[in-house]
Amino acid sequence: MRIGDAAAAAWTTPRALRFYEERGLLPPPRRTAGGQREYGPDEVARVRVIRELLALGLTVEDLRPVADRIGALVENPQRQCGQPDSDVPGSGVVDRRFAASTQRSTAWR
Protein backbone atom coordinates (compact mmCIF):
# COMPACT_ATOMS: atom_id res chain seq x y z
CA MET A 1 0.00 0.00 0.00
CA ARG A 2 1.12 3.54 -0.62
CA ILE A 3 2.10 5.96 2.12
CA GLY A 4 -1.32 7.64 2.43
CA ASP A 5 -3.12 4.32 2.83
CA ALA A 6 -0.50 3.02 5.28
CA ALA A 7 -0.72 6.21 7.35
CA ALA A 8 -4.52 5.96 7.51
CA ALA A 9 -4.30 2.29 8.53
CA ALA A 10 -1.83 3.22 11.30
CA TRP A 11 -3.94 6.19 12.45
CA THR A 12 -1.31 8.78 11.57
CA THR A 13 -0.10 10.93 8.69
CA PRO A 14 2.27 10.36 5.78
CA ARG A 15 4.51 13.04 7.28
CA ALA A 16 4.79 11.02 10.50
CA LEU A 17 5.79 7.89 8.56
CA ARG A 18 8.56 9.79 6.79
CA PHE A 19 9.67 11.26 10.14
CA TYR A 20 9.81 7.84 11.83
CA GLU A 21 11.87 6.58 8.90
CA GLU A 22 14.25 9.55 9.12
CA ARG A 23 14.72 9.05 12.87
CA GLY A 24 15.40 5.32 12.50
CA LEU A 25 12.23 4.01 14.15
CA LEU A 26 10.84 2.64 10.91
CA PRO A 27 13.13 0.82 8.48
CA PRO A 28 13.16 2.24 4.96
CA PRO A 29 10.22 0.70 3.10
CA ARG A 30 10.33 -1.05 -0.22
CA ARG A 31 10.09 1.24 -3.22
CA THR A 32 8.07 0.87 -6.38
CA ALA A 33 9.75 1.12 -9.76
CA GLY A 34 8.67 4.76 -9.72
CA GLY A 35 10.37 5.35 -6.36
CA GLN A 36 7.23 5.55 -4.22
CA ARG A 37 7.27 4.06 -0.74
CA GLU A 38 5.34 0.82 -0.42
CA TYR A 39 4.20 -0.46 2.99
CA GLY A 40 2.76 -3.74 4.15
CA PRO A 41 0.87 -4.92 7.23
CA ASP A 42 4.10 -5.42 9.21
CA GLU A 43 5.08 -1.77 8.79
CA VAL A 44 1.59 -0.61 9.74
CA ALA A 45 1.69 -2.75 12.89
CA ARG A 46 5.11 -1.33 13.78
CA VAL A 47 3.86 2.25 13.37
CA ARG A 48 0.88 1.49 15.60
CA VAL A 49 3.25 0.24 18.33
CA ILE A 50 5.41 3.36 17.92
CA ARG A 51 2.33 5.56 18.26
CA GLU A 52 1.21 3.69 21.38
CA LEU A 53 4.65 4.10 22.98
CA LEU A 54 4.64 7.81 22.17
CA ALA A 55 1.13 8.12 23.63
CA LEU A 56 2.44 6.59 26.86
CA GLY A 57 4.83 9.51 27.22
CA LEU A 58 8.00 8.18 25.66
CA THR A 59 9.72 10.37 23.09
CA VAL A 60 11.17 9.61 19.69
CA GLU A 61 14.60 10.12 21.25
CA ASP A 62 13.73 7.56 23.95
CA LEU A 63 12.81 5.03 21.27
CA ARG A 64 15.75 5.54 18.91
CA PRO A 65 18.27 3.46 20.91
CA VAL A 66 15.81 0.56 21.15
CA ALA A 67 14.30 0.79 17.68
CA ASP A 68 15.62 -2.65 16.80
CA ARG A 69 13.47 -4.11 19.60
CA ILE A 70 10.17 -2.51 18.58
CA GLY A 71 9.52 -5.51 16.36
CA ALA A 72 9.35 -7.73 19.47
CA LEU A 73 6.38 -5.70 20.68
CA VAL A 74 4.72 -6.05 17.28
CA GLU A 75 5.11 -9.83 17.45
CA ASN A 76 4.08 -10.10 21.12
CA PRO A 77 2.22 -7.04 22.45
CA GLN A 78 1.77 -8.65 25.88
CA ARG A 79 5.52 -9.12 26.33
CA GLN A 80 6.71 -8.54 29.87
CA CYS A 81 9.57 -6.14 30.48
CA GLY A 82 12.44 -7.52 32.49
CA GLN A 83 14.95 -5.71 34.64
CA PRO A 84 16.96 -3.01 32.85
CA ASP A 85 20.30 -4.23 31.56
CA SER A 86 22.86 -1.48 31.99
CA ASP A 87 24.86 -2.81 29.02
CA VAL A 88 21.97 -2.38 26.59
CA PRO A 89 21.52 1.07 25.02
CA GLY A 90 18.19 2.56 25.99
CA SER A 91 17.77 0.15 28.86
CA GLY A 92 15.82 1.64 31.73
CA VAL A 93 14.27 4.37 29.59
CA VAL A 94 10.87 3.93 31.21
CA ASP A 95 12.36 4.22 34.68
CA ARG A 96 14.26 7.37 33.68
CA ARG A 97 11.18 8.92 32.04
CA PHE A 98 9.05 8.12 35.09
CA ALA A 99 11.66 9.58 37.46
CA ALA A 100 11.89 12.76 35.37
CA SER A 101 8.11 13.22 35.31
CA THR A 102 7.91 12.62 39.06
CA GLN A 103 10.57 15.25 39.68
CA ARG A 104 8.68 17.76 37.53
CA SER A 105 5.37 17.10 39.28
CA THR A 106 6.85 17.54 42.75
CA ALA A 107 8.61 20.76 41.72
CA TRP A 108 5.19 22.35 41.08
CA ARG A 109 3.92 21.68 44.59
Side-chain angles (χ1 to χ4, degrees), residues 12-56:
T12 191
T13 64
R15 183 176 178 190
L17 294 184
R18 288 188 292 272
F19 177 73
Y20 299 151
E21 180 185 344
E22 289 168 8
R23 303 307 291 163
L25 300 182
L26 187 61
R30 296 175 303 280
R31 298 277 182 154
T32 65
Q36 293 182 328
R37 290 171 171 88
E38 195 169 66
Y39 297 90
D42 291 340
E43 289 87 0
V44 170
R46 183 180 181 96
V47 171
R48 286 182 179 172
V49 167
I50 291 167
R51 305 276 299 161
E52 288 178 24
L53 292 169
L54 294 172
L56 289 172

Side-chain angles (χ1 to χ4, degrees), residues 66-78:
V66 294
D68 61 323
R69 292 186 263 163
I70 293 173
L73 291 173
V74 173
E75 294 168 9
N76 183 2
Q78 301 302 317

Side-chain angles (χ1 to χ4, degrees), residues 75-87:
E75 294 168 9
N76 183 2
Q78 301 302 317
R79 185 179 176 140
Q80 297 293 314
C81 296
Q83 293 296 318
D85 182 350
S86 61
D87 295 335

